[in-house]
Amino acid sequence: MEKKKVTRCCYSLCLLTSVGLNIYFVSNQYLKSEWKINQNKLSWSQEAAAEAEAVALISCSGHGRAYLDGLSDFVDGKPFCECNTCYGGHDCSIFSTDCAADVDSGDPLFLEPFWMQRRAASLIVIVVAGWHRMSYTFYDHSFVSQELENHIRRVHSIARNAITKGKYIIFGGGSTQLLGAAVYALSMNLSSPAKRVAVCPCIPLYKSQTDFFQNTNFEYEGDSSLLKNSSKTKTNIIEFVTSPNNPDGNLREAVLKGASVRAIYDHAYYWPHFTAIPSPANEDIMIFTISKLTGHAGSRFGWAFVKDEDVYQNMQKYISVAEMGISREAQLRALKLMKAILQGNGTDIFDYAYKKMSDRWKKLSQIVSLSKRFTLQEIPPQFCNFFEKVRGPSPAYAWLKCEREEDTNCNSVLRAANIIGRAGSIFNVGDRHVRLSLLKSDDDFNLLLHHLKKLVVTEEDDARTM
Amino acid sequence: MEKKKVTRCCYSLCLLTSVGLNIYFVSNQYLKSEWKINQNKLSWSQEAAAEAEAVALISCSGHGRAYLDGLSDFVDGKPFCECNTCYGGHDCSIFSTDCAADVDSGDPLFLEPFWMQRRAASLIVIVVAGWHRMSYTFYDHSFVSQELENHIRRVHSIARNAITKGKYIIFGGGSTQLLGAAVYALSMNLSSPAKRVAVCPCIPLYKSQTDFFQNTNFEYEGDSSLLKNSSKTKTNIIEFVTSPNNPDGNLREAVLKGASVRAIYDHAYYWPHFTAIPSPANEDIMIFTISKLTGHAGSRFGWAFVKDEDVYQNMQKYISVAEMGISREAQLRALKLMKAILQGNGTDIFDYAYKKMSDRWKKLSQIVSLSKRFTLQEIPPQFCNFFEKVRGPSPAYAWLKCEREEDTNCNSVLRAANIIGRAGSIFNVGDRHVRLSLLKSDDDFNLLLHHLKKLVVTEEDDARTM
């Protein structure tokens, strides 16, 4: 009898626990009340969200990552790891010891860990339903998300790097497309073709766009310095001013003045990440890109602030004729990223990026300082409007110079030491210089340090054997 | 004793059921053997997914929709409804009775209900993590998602509208950008500027791109027919062939032949939605766009198939110089949409779109058939390679003609009757014709029918009073 009682008691306890568990599961899944939906009651987005999380969990040993739209296993559809340069194997765990450090491109992967560390923050995720913004235009018949515009202006006011009030905004396919649009807008309706110039070293895009588009309204003249004080300043001139400059990181101002001169300021790198901000920029045409602010180069999203209404209208016309505005998905993502930046006091990304770039610069400088063969550009400490103090350099690129007389092709010298840089001639100056990108992944940067150190350490031996 | 037995039996049954349920919940939530994550265990994507679902549930009375990136209420952040034309109020429930039917643009919102009806299908949702594809390039150093390329080719093989084997593929910012790229590629390295021509009525983009870009390599000549049999066919000629044609929906072939003539086929509308597919297209340069396949005009995503390697390389160069490839977010969304199309036997979207467009055409034709004042273009029934039978017309646009001698400006006649069309002169022909878009939302289309019916019904009275 006693045994039976115990058994019944046991039964009841089990039943209670079990029913309790069921109540928990049911309530956990089906209850909640504001306009925002209960997160446990997801329906159509659930499977896609689960898939995205599963992909994010695929281990690539910290030397790669798997993507939703990557090539995948034929059997279970699991995407393969896409490994960083010099890493391989199904989980990117195999390092190729003789692999070159590829620091050629300005791929801004240095910010990838910033976003990965914020994995838990739902704020950086975009979820796009099948019917999201199918139309050619937004509600106000424009190609521009007003919400995104507002958020971009707020990010500038926190970074204290530009005066945006009283200026029109235009969205483009990266700063690349906006540069093209600005040149077209400035060179339309002129009596004679406008000369396009830039102080070099300067990025090759200015020349390559002119060469490729072969427009009747403009031609590429070369270095602005050549035109300074020359009679040509009476002709129509468009001066590109990249500030801070790519490749050398120096802050720049237009060198040419006059009624027939118009400047386009490429401010891609004018963020606390890469430079002191002496004062907020306030030029007539200023171009920025998400690529160098958040690191999302793949989104192809940039914006320009323009003071003059006619120039603004013509730039808009260019974007419209070229491709009828910028992808809604890219704009939604940019909005999410801006919102993420603005969280808290809005300084996280700038603190993180400055620390990282400054750290990289210090490490690199230290190695180069041991060398007599190589030197780096000098960037003096300067007061920064954002940090409200004098701060050291943290440039996007190292502009390395080979000092030995015989090293006329500095890029070849580095190439022989397993370092892939970008030759000075590409920036319209001599090959004594090489640009080394400091923007890439930690793997790329560490490999650069490794190979450079080896090169510097063996420098004296090399000199002796020559 | 008997009672106790029954009670015990009852207990056991309850316990068994309950434990069974426990096992179901647990297994449903925590056990799974494949790599995909359990959908009830979402972490970082959950909040964003819930937000997207909540926005989708905001009621806009079927005459509008709220978007994640729409302007929102200051207090609770709830996005406002964006109403269809002629509807207003906070939930789009107020209809403006004297409102004009705006059937000017080719905004393909007719497919919005198709995607909304598939709300439950997770397959059409994209979830993008903060660190998704930040790089400028894909793993193979290209700007093109290989997965997307594969899926696009499969969609064509189901639609049976193009032979894609042995052809290169290029992605662009809509067909707009690809048209520009193709013209540049075909007119590079020629001894004399290429003439760009098209048989009209034809879309104004061909002319506006040439006028705007003012390239030294090409100029706009006008109507291809004028060049036929003329001596000019010895000069370099690029003929645009829009097939089916915008605005009249007729299938087209290049009219000019010869070694110096190259054709660019704009096949934006060459889908079973809008035309019979007599046979798969197999031209040297064929341009398509997602805008007219899935209705996602806002994504700015198109693709071109190109036979010749040099032309392909130059088109790629154009996209690269213009904006360094197409947004990763737009490519991911296009991939999801292609996957959704390919689900099941892959014919759903074509069945739906054909039915809808054919239905719209029938309704419109019926009204116009009652009129002596207006006529529509004729599109004969034709055998369709996709439906494997003869099928009737379902064009994207009505090409309406005013037959009365005095109605020299047909657009004004319609405008007076509260219908906003696009004037024939925009398509480089006389203003006796007007293009009416049949691609827009149900609200726009129904309003068009309403106003047109009223116009036709009062036709005889009008004639009498004149």
Side-chain angles (χ1 to χ4, degrees):
Chain A
M1 195 65 192
E2 199 53 30
K3 198 181 158 198
K4 272 183 192 164
K5 235 183 189 166
V6 170
T7 316
R8 209 161 60 225
C9 197
C10 216
Y11 258 126
S12 303
L13 202 67
C14 284
L15 185 56
L16 264 173
T17 314
S18 180
V19 169
L21 264 172
N22 281 327
I23 291 172
Y24 165 77
F25 282 126
V26 170
S27 67
N28 202 26
Q29 283 189 48
Y30 304 103
L31 305 171
K32 221 171 182 179
S33 71
E34 24 170 337
W35 82 270
K36 286 202 178 177
I37 216 159
N38 183 324
Q39 291 179 29
N40 295 323
K41 262 183 81 179
L42 296 178
S43 66
W44 48 264
S45 66
Q46 187 135 332
E47 199 179 317
E51 188 191 21
E53 293 206 9
V55 170
L57 286 177
I58 293 171
S59 167
C60 304
S61 313
H63 301 294
R65 72 293 296 152
Y67 293 120
L68 273 175
D69 55 357
L71 291 179
S72 55
D73 188 281
F74 187 71
V75 181
D76 64 0
K78 181 180 173 180
F80 298 128
C81 280
E82 301 184 10
C83 304
N84 290 346
T85 325
C86 304
Y87 287 85
H90 75 281
D91 62 351
C92 307
S93 60
I94 302 165
F95 177 68
S96 308
T97 44
D98 59 345
C99 183
D102 182 352
V103 288
D104 181 1
S105 89
D107 221 3
L109 288 172
F110 75 104
L111 279 168
E112 198 182 48
F114 177 82
W115 298 109
M116 280 190 158
Q117 283 161 18
R118 276 148 191 79
R119 199 175 279 234
S122 209
L123 198 67
I124 57 171
V125 184
I126 64 166
V127 176
V128 187
W131 57 93
H132 176 77
R133 294 222 181 269
M134 295 173 67
S135 175
Y136 279 110
T137 56
F138 283 87
Y139 195 57
D140 58 359
H141 302 294
S142 81
F143 294 141
V144 163
S145 155
Q146 208 182 311
E147 270 290 277
L148 177 53
E149 173 182 340
N150 298 342
H151 281 78
I152 288 175
R153 290 183 192 267
R154 282 167 59 194
V155 167
H156 280 290
S157 75
I158 283 183
R160 301 185 195 178
N161 68 335
I163 292 171
T164 68
K165 209 178 163 184
K167 295 195 182 78
Y168 300 96
I169 197 169
I170 299 158
F171 294 171
S175 54
T176 315
Q177 191 179 41
L178 288 162
L179 283 167
V183 169
Y184 267 85
L186 290 183
S187 53
M188 282 171 79
N189 312 318
L190 295 177
S191 50
S192 62
K195 310 272 181 203
R196 298 167 79 175
V197 296
V199 173
C200 292
C202 54
I203 56 168
L205 182 73
Y206 306 142
K207 188 173 185 318
S208 61
Q209 275 196 344
T210 316
D211 288 353
F212 195 85
F213 291 141
Q214 299 195 27
N215 181 283
T216 48
N217 288 340
F218 51 77
E219 51 196 57
Y220 191 74
E221 183 75 15
D223 201 316
S224 319
S225 326
L226 303 176
L227 287 186
K228 211 174 169 182
N229 306 323
S230 95
S231 62
K232 282 190 181 166
T233 45
K234 278 173 198 150
T235 64
N236 296 305
I237 289 171
I238 297 167
E239 183 176 355
F240 295 105
V241 187
T242 313
S243 181
N245 192 37
N246 177 357
D248 61 22
N250 287 318
L251 290 170
R252 288 268 184 87
E253 287 197 9
V255 297
L256 301 175
K257 310 275 171 201
S260 58
V261 180
R262 306 291 290 270
I264 298 170
Y265 277 81
D266 179 348
H267 279 319
Y269 300 90
Y270 200 57
W271 295 103
H273 311 21
F274 310 111
T275 178
I277 309 287
S279 63
N282 192 22
E283 295 95 11
D284 288 0
I285 303 178
M286 310 190 281
I287 294 173
F288 294 89
T289 166
I290 206 165
S291 158
K292 299 303 183 290
L293 165 61
T294 69
H296 292 79
S299 299
R300 309 311 309 126
F301 181 78
W303 60 97
F305 288 106
V306 178
K307 210 170 180 181
D308 182 80
E309 194 184 340
D310 280 350
V311 175
Y312 160 71
Q313 297 286 5
N314 285 329
M315 283 181 73
Q316 265 204 321
K317 179 94 195 280
Y318 179 96
I319 303 292
S320 170
V321 173
E323 68 174 301
M324 299 183 74
I326 300 309
S327 152
R328 280 333 95 84
E329 295 82 15
Q331 291 194 42
L332 178 61
R333 192 160 194 217
L335 174 63
K336 273 275 178 181
L337 294 168
M338 296 296 162
K339 281 184 175 174
I341 290 176
L342 291 165
Q343 252 199 329
N345 62 4
T347 61
D348 274 16
I349 196 169
F350 305 114
D351 293 338
Y352 178 96
Y354 168 62
K355 197 185 163 310
K356 185 140 196 166
M357 295 307 294
S358 146
D359 205 49
R360 286 188 174 185
W361 179 252
K362 279 179 202 148
K363 284 178 177 158
L364 186 84
S365 305
Q366 203 179 13
I367 293 172
V368 178
S369 71
L370 304 173
S371 162
K372 284 177 189 156
R373 191 174 187 186
F374 307 107
T375 54
L376 284 174
Q377 78 262 43
E378 279 196 25
I379 301 172
Q382 208 169 147
F383 181 81
C384 178
N385 195 36
F386 173 77
F387 288 114
E388 292 183 321
K389 63 178 183 190
V390 172
R391 45 155 280 179
S394 57
Y397 305 101
W399 187 230
L400 194 86
K401 190 180 176 190
C402 280
E403 299 285 351
R404 279 192 198 154
E405 203 177 333
E406 64 274 23
D407 289 346
T408 48
N409 190 330
C410 196
N411 205 30
S412 306
V413 173
L414 292 180
R415 195 64 198 81
N418 249 352
I419 296 168
I420 305 169
R422 194 167 284 187
S425 54
I426 291 179
F427 301 93
N428 214 17
V429 293
D431 274 338
R432 279 218 167 266
H433 279 94
V434 178
R435 188 192 81 170
L436 306 175
S437 172
L438 307 178
L439 295 168
K440 295 186 75 183
S441 71
D442 287 341
D443 282 344
D444 290 317
F445 180 71
N446 292 333
L447 206 55
L448 163 68
L449 289 189
H450 175 82
H451 289 325
L452 197 65
K453 201 168 184 175
K454 216 161 123 188
L455 180 63
V456 167
V457 165
T458 57
E459 200 169 281
E460 287 195 16
D461 303 340
D462 284 357
R464 240 174 276 136
T465 56
M466 280 176 80
Chain B
M1 197 65 191
E2 198 54 29
K3 200 181 154 197
K4 274 183 187 161
K5 231 181 191 169
V6 169
T7 315
R8 207 161 63 226
C9 197
C10 216
Y11 258 127
S12 305
L13 203 69
C14 282
L15 185 58
L16 263 174
T17 315
S18 188
V19 168
L21 269 169
N22 287 157
I23 292 171
Y24 166 76
F25 281 124
V26 171
S27 67
N28 201 26
Q29 284 193 49
Y30 302 108
L31 304 175
K32 227 170 184 186
S33 57
E34 34 172 331
W35 68 275
K36 285 199 179 176
I37 214 162
N38 183 319
Q39 292 178 29
N40 294 324
K41 263 183 80 181
L42 295 178
S43 67
W44 49 264
S45 66
Q46 187 135 333
E47 199 179 317
E51 188 192 19
E53 293 206 8
V55 170
L57 284 179
I58 293 171
S59 166
C60 304
S61 314
H63 301 294
R65 71 295 291 153
Y67 292 119
L68 273 175
D69 56 357
L71 292 178
S72 55
D73 188 281
F74 188 72
V75 182
D76 64 0
K78 181 178 172 182
F80 298 127
C81 281
E82 300 185 9
C83 305
N84 290 346
T85 326
C86 305
Y87 287 85
H90 76 282
D91 62 350
C92 308
S93 61
I94 301 166
F95 176 66
S96 308
T97 44
D98 59 345
C99 183
D102 182 352
V103 287
D104 180 0
S105 89
D107 222 3
L109 289 172
F110 75 104
L111 279 168
E112 197 182 49
F114 176 83
W115 298 108
M116 281 191 159
Q117 283 161 19
R118 275 147 192 81
R119 201 174 276 233
S122 208
L123 198 67
I124 58 172
V125 184
I126 64 166
V127 176
V128 187
W131 58 93
H132 176 77
R133 294 222 182 270
M134 294 174 66
S135 174
Y136 279 110
T137 56
F138 283 87
Y139 195 57
D140 58 359
H141 303 294
S142 80
F143 295 141
V144 163
S145 155
Q146 209 181 311
E147 271 289 277
L148 177 53
E149 173 182 341
N150 298 342
H151 281 79
I152 288 174
R153 290 184 192 268
R154 283 167 59 197
V155 167
H156 280 290
S157 75
I158 284 184
R160 301 186 195 176
N161 68 336
I163 292 171
T164 67
K165 208 178 162 184
K167 294 195 182 79
Y168 300 97
I169 196 168
I170 299 157
F171 294 170
S175 54
T176 314
Q177 191 178 42
L178 289 162
L179 283 167
V183 169
Y184 268 85
L186 290 183
S187 53
M188 283 171 79
N189 313 319
L190 294 177
S191 51
S192 62
K195 310 273 181 201
R196 298 166 81 173
V197 296
V199 172
C200 291
C202 54
I203 56 168
L205 182 73
Y206 305 142
K207 188 171 184 319
S208 61
Q209 275 197 343
T210 316
D211 288 352
F212 195 85
F213 291 140
Q214 299 195 28
N215 181 282
T216 48
N217 289 339
F218 51 77
E219 51 196 58
Y220 191 73
E221 182 74 15
D223 200 317
S224 319
S225 325
L226 303 174
L227 289 185
K228 211 173 168 184
N229 306 323
S230 95
S231 62
K232 282 188 178 166
T233 45
K234 277 172 199 154
T235 64
N236 295 306
I237 288 172
I238 297 168
E239 183 177 355
F240 294 107
V241 187
T242 314
S243 181
N245 192 39
N246 177 357
D248 60 23
N250 287 319
L251 291 169
R252 287 267 184 88
E253 288 197 8
V255 297
L256 300 174
K257 311 275 171 202
S260 57
V261 180
R262 306 292 290 270
I264 298 170
Y265 277 80
D266 179 348
H267 279 321
Y269 300 90
Y270 200 56
W271 295 102
H273 310 21
F274 310 111
T275 178
I277 309 287
S279 64
N282 193 21
E283 295 95 13
D284 288 1
I285 303 179
M286 309 189 282
I287 295 173
F288 294 90
T289 167
I290 206 165
S291 156
K292 299 302 184 291
L293 166 59
T294 69
H296 292 79
S299 299
R300 310 310 311 127
F301 180 77
W303 59 97
F305 288 107
V306 178
K307 211 169 178 181
D308 182 80
E309 194 184 339
D310 280 349
V311 175
Y312 160 72
Q313 298 286 5
N314 284 328
M315 282 181 74
Q316 265 204 319
K317 179 94 195 281
Y318 178 97
I319 303 291
S320 171
V321 173
E323 69 173 300
M324 301 184 75
I326 300 310
S327 152
R328 281 332 95 85
E329 295 82 17
Q331 292 194 43
L332 178 61
R333 192 159 194 217
L335 174 62
K336 272 277 178 178
L337 294 169
M338 296 296 163
K339 281 184 175 174
I341 290 176
L342 291 165
Q343 251 200 330
N345 61 5
T347 61
D348 274 15
I349 196 170
F350 304 115
D351 293 337
Y352 178 96
Y354 168 63
K355 197 185 163 311
K356 185 141 196 165
M357 294 308 292
S358 146
D359 205 48
R360 287 188 173 185
W361 179 252
K362 277 179 203 148
K363 284 177 179 160
L364 186 83
S365 305
Q366 202 179 10
I367 292 172
V368 178
S369 72
L370 303 173
S371 161
K372 284 176 189 155
R373 192 173 186 184
F374 307 107
T375 54
L376 285 172
Q377 79 261 43
E378 279 197 26
I379 301 172
Q382 207 169 146
F383 181 82
C384 178
N385 196 35
F386 174 76
F387 288 113
E388 292 184 321
K389 64 177 181 189
V390 173
R391 45 155 279 178
S394 58
Y397 305 101
W399 187 230
L400 193 86
K401 189 179 176 192
C402 281
E403 299 285 350
R404 277 192 199 156
E405 204 178 332
E406 64 273 22
D407 289 346
T408 48
N409 190 330
C410 196
N411 205 29
S412 306
V413 172
L414 291 180
R415 195 63 199 82
N418 249 352
I419 297 168
I420 305 169
R422 194 166 284 185
S425 54
I426 291 179
F427 301 93
N428 214 18
V429 291
D431 273 338
R432 278 217 168 265
H433 278 94
V434 178
R435 188 191 81 170
L436 305 175
S437 172
L438 306 179
L439 294 168
K440 295 186 74 184
S441 71
D442 286 341
D443 282 344
D444 289 317
F445 179 72
N446 290 333
L447 206 56
L448 163 68
L449 289 189
H450 175 81
H451 289 326
L452 196 64
K453 201 168 182 175
K454 215 161 125 188
L455 179 63
V456 167
V457 166
T458 57
E459 199 169 282
E460 286 195 16
D461 303 340
D462 284 356
R464 240 175 277 137
T465 57
M466 279 177 80

